[in-house]
Amino acid sequence: MQKKRLLSGVKPTGRPHIGNYFGAIKQFVDLQDEYESFVFVADYHALTTAHSQQNPEEVRNSIKDVVRTYLAAGIDPNKTTLFQQSAVHEHTELAWIFECLTTMPYLMRAHAFKDAEAKNKEISVGTFNYPMLMAADILLYDPDVVPVGKDQQQHVEYARDTAEKFNNLYGDTFAVPEHIILEGVATVPGTDGQKMSKSYNNTIPLFGTKEEIGKAVMGIVTDSEGGRPENVYAIHKLFKSEGELEALYSEKEGSYKELKEALIEDIEASVAPMRERYESITDGEIKNVVAQGAVRAHEQAAAKMIDVRQKVGVTL
Ligand code: ADP
Ligand code: TRP
């Protein structure tokens, strides 16, 4: 039986933290046997953010860092087609065609645009058109599922609508994708109990040194009175079964420092092998992986564009 196809994009931004790992990276690793997987670095999407503009070295390093992170976390490039969005020109080509089918009022309803507008930010056309590039990313590959976090659901809806619009106008061309909100993937809390996020400065770095991890864990806010320190426990249960934790947390009840030390050891035991791999992956390996990925992705994307170009009428 043909495997179902999975596709997702990852923006190259900042140092990965354990929220990214449990919320996204690990899922792609776990699903790569079951699905024919395409995972790409959304490097053209990253150009919409101000800090990446005029900072080519930072852009380059972040792209390499995503690939290195995914390989270290267990993505097997023979199972998952891992590539750069910018290497497959059909993404931007199809985005243009979608932009010509799409109206301004429709894109003005996107959350990202509305937020920027509410804050009176001056946004680029690229940011405004973002959902159309994302629709192209998705629809080029006819994926069955597009696993994304909650904040990206609306974008997948845009891709669905765009597929339907194109299909209605030109005949069946694109599969209408489903998004999956990954089951059992809860939001990982940060050291202050809010969602772990780079923007809140409450992260535990995935590839941090033991000292860095230790410092972050010691900083976890423990405001529960007596009993169980919930913020520590919530992170701990990502690394150990609740059965094992019950025993530990009742033995050490009230002793927050010892519980945090136990958590540091458990994080260290899980991430040390990944961190070693991370440090051993060379730039040369990264370039080979994405070059091979681009060839495989391009095969799919180019075949789809032959059909699209024919249908819109530019093929003579
Ligand atoms: P951040 O909030 O740190 O900027 P991103 O928005 O770059 O993180 O998220 C990258 C991926 O990691 C997304 O798929 C997102 O859903 C996932 N992710 C980020 N933070 C968490 C979290 N605290 N819990 C679960 N998943 C998360
Ligand atoms: N917009 C997504 C994010 O910010 C990244 C992304 C770009 C993506 N293209 C995609 C995700 C296609 C899934 C499918 O996280």
Side-chain angles (χ1 to χ4, degrees):
M1 215 182 77
Q2 187 92 5
K3 277 188 185 171
K4 286 195 170 177
R5 184 175 287 179
L6 171 153
L7 173 128
S8 199
V10 191
K11 273 218 297 204
T13 43
R15 214 172 169 209
H17 53 70
I18 65 168
N20 300 138
Y21 178 70
F22 287 101
I25 306 170
K26 182 172 183 295
Q27 315 309 321
F28 300 135
V29 177
D30 293 345
L31 293 170
Q32 67 184 340
D33 286 314
E34 191 184 335
Y35 289 89
E36 181 194 10
S37 299
F38 288 78
V39 175
F40 65 90
V41 185
D43 48 6
Y44 272 157
H45 274 117
L47 291 187
T48 59
T49 43
H51 76 270
S52 60
Q53 285 151 15
Q54 293 156 4
N55 217 335
E57 220 27 60
E58 190 182 317
V59 172
R60 218 179 328 275
N61 286 334
S62 329
I63 296 169
K64 287 193 279 196
D65 200 51
V66 175
V67 178
R68 187 173 269 122
T69 297
Y70 274 70
L71 293 175
I75 286 291
D76 175 349
N78 295 314
K79 292 180 183 164
T80 298
T81 299
L82 189 58
F83 65 104
Q84 285 174 260
Q85 176 186 40
S86 62
V88 182
H89 302 156
E90 285 79 0
H91 290 238
T92 44
E93 185 183 352
L94 183 58
W96 174 258
I97 294 174
F98 288 161
E99 281 152 21
C100 294
L101 292 181
T102 303
T103 65
M104 301 261 295
Y106 175 66
L107 284 181
M108 285 161 92
R109 289 201 291 273
H111 301 316
F113 173 73
K114 286 204 293 198
D115 290 350
E117 223 192 11
K119 291 183 192 140
N120 259 327
K121 280 197 196 156
E122 194 169 64
I123 70 160
S124 66
V125 176
T127 303
F128 185 67
N129 290 352
Y130 189 108
M132 293 297 101
L133 180 55
M134 184 153 161
D137 296 338
I138 296 172
L139 300 178
L140 277 174
Y141 299 92
D142 289 330
D144 298 288
V145 294
V146 183
V148 286
K150 264 213 181 78
D151 61 324
Q152 296 297 318
Q153 276 179 58
Q154 192 198 32
H155 287 149
V156 179
E157 292 302 329
Y158 270 91
R160 291 173 59 88
D161 287 352
T162 306
E164 278 164 1
K165 188 159 193 184
F166 190 101
N167 290 348
N168 284 335
L169 275 170
Y170 295 109
D172 247 3
T173 311
F174 297 111
V176 179
E178 293 294 331
H179 52 79
I180 48 172
I181 297 306
L182 295 158
E183 272 171 57
V185 178
T187 300
V188 176
T191 54
D192 58 358
Q194 294 187 80
K195 174 184 186 269
M196 186 177 289
S197 168
K198 285 184 290 288
S199 9
Y200 304 151
N201 262 324
N202 62 357
T203 63
I204 301 176
L206 180 60
F207 298 124
T209 60
K210 191 170 176 193
E211 290 66 40
E212 286 173 303
I213 292 170
K215 194 162 165 241
V217 170
M218 284 302 169
I220 297 176
V221 177
T222 45
D223 54 5
S224 39
E225 286 169 20
R228 195 166 80 178
E230 290 304 332
N231 292 339
V232 180
Y233 188 84
I235 297 175
H236 215 155
K237 70 178 200 249
L238 300 164
F239 294 90
K240 270 236 163 103
S241 73
E242 302 212 33
E244 290 169 291
L245 290 185
E246 287 305 326
L248 178 73
Y249 278 69
S250 54
E251 190 195 323
K252 310 270 184 210
E253 198 180 329
S255 175
Y256 297 166
K257 182 155 177 287
E258 280 181 89
L259 289 169
K260 285 179 174 178
E261 282 164 0
L263 172 58
I264 294 168
E265 291 308 320
D266 289 333
I267 297 179
E268 176 65 16
S270 309
V271 305
M274 268 193 260
R275 187 171 60 216
E276 261 171 51
R277 276 201 298 279
Y278 179 83
E279 281 160 7
S280 74
I281 296 166
T282 62
D283 280 10
E285 268 175 77
I286 290 173
K287 286 187 196 168
N288 284 340
V289 165
V290 294
Q292 174 198 320
V295 171
R296 290 212 300 260
H298 184 250
E299 261 171 44
Q300 297 295 325
K304 182 59 91 181
M305 279 313 291
I306 289 174
D307 187 24
V308 170
R309 290 165 137 265
Q310 182 75 41
K311 287 194 165 118
V312 301
V314 294
T315 303
L316 302 183

